[in-house]
Amino acid sequence: MLNESERHALKAVDEWNCSTGNFSDFLTHMHKAWLYLLHAEFKKDGVDFNYKDRQTGQYKMIDGEPSAWDLEQCLKKRYPDSTDAAVRRNAELFVALRNKVEHRYEHNLKIVTGGKAQALVMNYEQERVAHFGLDYSLAHLLRFPITLQSLTTEGQAQQREAAAKLPKGTRDLVTRFEAGMDQAVKDDLRYDYRVRLVPIVGNKTDADLAVEFVNYNDLTDEEREVMMEAGRTGTVVTKMKHIEVTNKAKLRATTVAERVEARLPFYFSAYGEHTEMWRRFNVRPAKDATDPCLTDARYCIYDEPVKTYLYTDAWVEKVIKEIGTVEKYRNFFGKKPRMKNVATLLQQAASDESAISKSA
C-alpha cells in the first residue's frame, strides 16, 4: 500500500511540475496517494477500514471483495476533531474539485489553487513520515520547481487573468466550500500554503541551498507580523541586502537541556546526553570540523561572530520525542536515566502550576 501510495504521489507531482502536465491527473494521483496512505495506516494500526451493512453487520462486497472506505470516509476517521481541521479540509476540497473539474478550465484552476495544492502534498509528506518514519520520506525525490509564473510581471498578470476566467460554477464550488469555515483554518498553512520568493544577495557557502525553507513557527513575533503584513498588502521584494539570521534560533545547548529536562521525570545533561544526540542525528559537525556551517538548519545553526552553535525549538521537540520516556531513553542510550527524586518532581510541578496561573 505504501509503495503504491508513493508511486501515485510522485506521479501527481510530476504532472504538476511538467509544463505539459494535466491538472486532472494531478487530482487523481494525489487522491489515490492519500487513499492508499490512510489505508496503510489503518492496516498498521489494526483498524478495520471496510464498509459494513448497518443491519446485518456483514461486509459490503464488490466483485467478491470487501468494499474499503473511500477517501472522504478515511479523512473523517483519521481527523475527527478540530486539531487537524486544516489538513482534512484541504484534502476534502481536492476531493470535491476532482469530482467537478471541467477539463477546458484545468490550467486556470491549477493556477488559482496552487497554494492549496502545495499544502496537499506537504500534508501528505508529513503524514507519511509521522506514521512510518523518515525512511519513507519523499523529500530526497522532490525538488522545488523552476518557475516563471510568479517571477515576472507578465506571469503575475496571467495569474490574475486565470482567476477571472474561471467559470462561475467552479468559483462557486470553492466559495461554498469555504463558506462558514473558521478563519483560522483558512489562514492555516496546512490548508493553503503560499510562499513569497525573496532573492538573497550576498556571500554564500557551499552548504547554502538555492531555496531555503523558513518555518513560520520558528519566527519571532516581530518577524511574523512583518510576514503577515506583507501578505495583506501584497508587497513584492525584488532585491534585498543580505541579512544575517544566525541568532534566529536563540537556544544554547544549556538552554536546550534545561527545557528538555523540565518536561522529563529524569535528568538531561547539556554536555552528556545532548552531545550524544546531536552527534547521532548529525545535527552539527564536530568542534574541529573544517566547515562549521554544515548543520541541519531545521535544528541547529552556526553563529559565526561568536563561534558557537545555537539550536531551534524544533530540536527541543525532536529530543523529547526521541528520548522522552524511560523506555525510549534506555533504547537510545543503552542505559537507565537518572531519575529525579519526588521532591524535585513536586517542585517542578509547583513551578509549572505557578507559571500557568500567572499566564491566566
Side-chain angles (χ1 to χ4, degrees), residues 202-209:
N203 296 329
K204 68 181 294 292
T205 70
D206 291 339
D208 288 343
L209 300 175

Side-chain angles (χ1 to χ4, degrees), residues 20-65:
T20 58
N22 185 290
F23 185 61
S24 289
D25 287 346
F26 168 80
L27 295 174
T28 298
H29 285 298
M30 278 310 301
H31 186 104
K32 291 182 178 180
W34 266 103
L35 179 65
Y36 294 142
L37 174 62
L38 294 181
H39 281 183
E41 287 183 20
F42 296 145
K43 183 74 173 178
K44 174 175 175 283
D45 296 337
V47 176
D48 186 353
F49 53 93
N50 295 304
Y51 286 108
K52 289 184 178 180
D53 187 287
R54 291 185 178 180
Q55 295 183 342
T56 66
Q58 299 296 314
Y59 287 122
K60 293 183 178 181
M61 309 296 287
I62 296 180
D63 296 329
E65 296 289 336

Side-chain angles (χ1 to χ4, degrees), residues 282-302:
N282 294 318
V283 168
R284 46 157 284 197
K287 186 176 181 179
D288 57 350
T290 304
D291 187 351
C293 297
L294 294 177
T295 66
D296 184 335
R298 296 173 300 173
Y299 303 127
C300 176
I301 59 174
Y302 183 64

Side-chain angles (χ1 to χ4, degrees), residues 5 11 31 34 36 75 88 104 118 179 188 210 216 263 279 283 285 295 317 323 325-326:
S5 175
K11 284 287 293 181
H31 186 104
W34 266 103
Y36 294 142
L75 291 169
R88 173 175 164 180
R104 57 181 171 153
Q118 179 72 36
D188 196 310
Y216 180 79
R263 293 167 59 180
R279 283 175 177 167
V283 168
T295 66
E317 298 302 321
I323 56 96
T325 66
V326 173

Side-chain angles (χ1 to χ4, degrees), residues 129-130 277 315-325 328:
V129 171
M277 291 197 73
W315 174 240
V316 174
E317 298 302 321
K318 172 74 171 174
V319 170
I320 293 171
K321 178 181 177 182
E322 295 295 336
I323 56 96
T325 66
K328 288 182 177 180

Side-chain angles (χ1 to χ4, degrees), residues 7-20:
R7 186 179 73 84
H8 282 291
L10 295 178
K11 284 287 293 181
V13 176
D14 285 345
E15 287 291 337
W16 183 276
N17 289 339
C18 179
S19 60
T20 58

Side-chain angles (χ1 to χ4, degrees), residues 137-171:
S137 170
L138 303 184
H140 66 294
L141 298 173
L142 302 179
R143 300 289 183 270
F144 193 85
I146 295 175
T147 176
L148 297 178
Q149 189 95 52
S150 303
L151 303 184
T152 65
T153 302
E154 293 77 13
Q156 294 164 21
Q158 287 180 5
Q159 287 182 303
R160 290 189 290 270
E161 184 180 353
K165 286 184 176 180
L166 278 177
K168 184 177 184 300
T170 304
R171 290 200 306 271

Side-chain angles (χ1 to χ4, degrees), residues 305-338:
V306 296
K307 300 188 184 305
T308 190
Y309 289 96
L310 299 175
Y311 302 86
T312 66
D313 290 331
W315 174 240
V316 174
E317 298 302 321
K318 172 74 171 174
V319 170
I320 293 171
K321 178 181 177 182
E322 295 295 336
I323 56 96
T325 66
V326 173
E327 182 180 0
K328 288 182 177 180
Y329 182 100
R330 189 187 299 114
N331 290 339
F332 188 91
F333 293 108
K335 62 181 181 180
K336 293 182 180 180
R338 296 172 295 128

